[in-house]
């Protein structure tokens, strides 16, 4: 699955299986009346034995030596000031970096340790307003901010952050709901992880 489809595991046979070590810690709380709630969690994941392209005696080979780390904190909250009304928000910080990862760039091996992983923003935030009574009109408006992210593994090309806005409008009858959903109103289609 790399740029060189002819590359084979070095020494023949199979690559060492990819492994990971992860820790996730979180706390979730809701008020007894359901009007307020929040969720916070922190995590880190280490990936080992990732396939890395290399050259051995002029032949493209794969080595099971790549290491990456992904860590972050996420915070989410909801407020329900009225029975049918919900206000939500979230914010997240992520740090996804190569730890020991040598890649072939223009035929030259380059150590990427310390660089941010491609297409992985460090900051994300979102907010939403949802109105959903049991009957009649309902709707929502949500927005998400995706922060700056790198487009290459050398971290020399950075894409700016952008916003995605979604909306809905519907009507709830006794036995069914009809709705119009509008996704990505700003027409942004940036590639991110």
């Amino acid at each position: 699955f790399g740029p060189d489809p002819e590359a084979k595991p070095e020494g023949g046979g199979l690559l060492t299986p990819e492994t990971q070590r992860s820790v996730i810690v979180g706390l979730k709380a809701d008020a007894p009346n359901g009007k307020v709630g929040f969720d916070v969690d922190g995590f880190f994941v280490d990936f080992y034995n990732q396939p890395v392209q290399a050259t051995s005696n002029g032949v493209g080979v794969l080595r099971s030596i790549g290491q990456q780390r992904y860590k972050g904190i996420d915070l989410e909250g909801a407020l329900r000031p009225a029975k049918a009304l919900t206000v939500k928000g979230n914010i997240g910080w992520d740090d996804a970096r190569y730890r020991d990862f040598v890649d072939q760039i223009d035929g030259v091996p380059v150590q990427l340790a310390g660089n941010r992983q491609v297409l992985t923003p460090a900051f994300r935030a979102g907010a939403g307003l949802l109105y959903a009574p049991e009957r009649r009109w309902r709707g929502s408006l949500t927005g998400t901010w995706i922060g700056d992210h790198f487009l290459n593994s050398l971290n020399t090309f950075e894409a700016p952050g952008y916003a995605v806005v979604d909306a809905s409008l519907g009507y709830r009858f006794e036995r069914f709901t009809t709705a119009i959903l509008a996704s990505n109103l700003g027409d942004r289609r940036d590639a991110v992880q």
Side-chain angles (χ1 to χ4, degrees):
F1 297 106
D4 182 0
E6 302 300 319
K8 306 283 187 224
E10 188 172 32
L14 299 174
L15 289 169
T16 305
E18 291 183 48
T19 59
Q20 77 172 28
R21 179 184 64 193
S22 61
V23 174
I24 301 171
V25 177
L27 176 66
K28 180 174 175 59
D30 291 311
N33 59 11
K35 290 191 179 264
V36 178
F38 79 92
D39 183 1
V40 61
D41 63 71
F43 60 90
F44 86 81
V45 182
D46 281 345
F47 295 98
Y48 301 97
N49 300 327
Q50 294 186 308
V52 173
Q53 280 202 180
T55 304
S56 177
N57 299 324
V59 176
V61 295
L62 294 174
R63 294 181 177 150
S64 295
I65 59 171
Q67 295 180 24
Q68 297 181 35
R69 174 171 284 169
Y70 185 55
K71 62 184 177 179
I73 298 172
D74 290 319
L75 176 63
E76 181 177 317
L79 176 64
R80 295 170 191 85
K83 184 177 179 183
L85 185 63
T86 303
V87 179
K88 289 188 169 191
N90 64 63
I91 189 167
W93 168 81
D94 300 323
D95 187 32
R97 295 190 182 270
Y98 298 104
R99 294 189 66 209
D100 183 7
F101 205 94
V102 177
D103 200 2
Q104 295 283 329
I105 299 176
D106 296 329
V108 177
V110 177
Q111 174 59 260
L112 300 175
N115 287 8
R116 291 192 55 80
Q117 293 177 25
V118 176
L119 304 178
T120 307
F123 179 76
R124 293 169 288 107
L129 181 64
L130 298 92
Y131 180 67
E134 290 184 26
R135 300 276 191 281
R136 303 181 65 151
W137 291 102
R138 55 183 44 218
S140 67
L141 181 64
T142 60
T144 303
W145 176 259
I146 308 295
D148 299 350
H149 49 283
F150 287 104
L151 300 177
N152 67 341
S153 56
L154 292 175
N155 292 175
T156 55
F157 296 110
E158 188 173 20
Y162 65 96
V164 175
V165 177
D166 302 326
S168 71
L169 180 63
Y171 194 90
R172 173 72 177 151
F173 294 92
E174 185 175 336
R175 295 183 183 260
F176 68 94
T177 301
T178 181
I180 297 172
L181 308 175
S183 297
N184 195 9
L185 292 172
D187 198 28
R188 292 297 299 255
R189 302 210 189 310
D190 298 34
V192 291
Q193 291 190 30

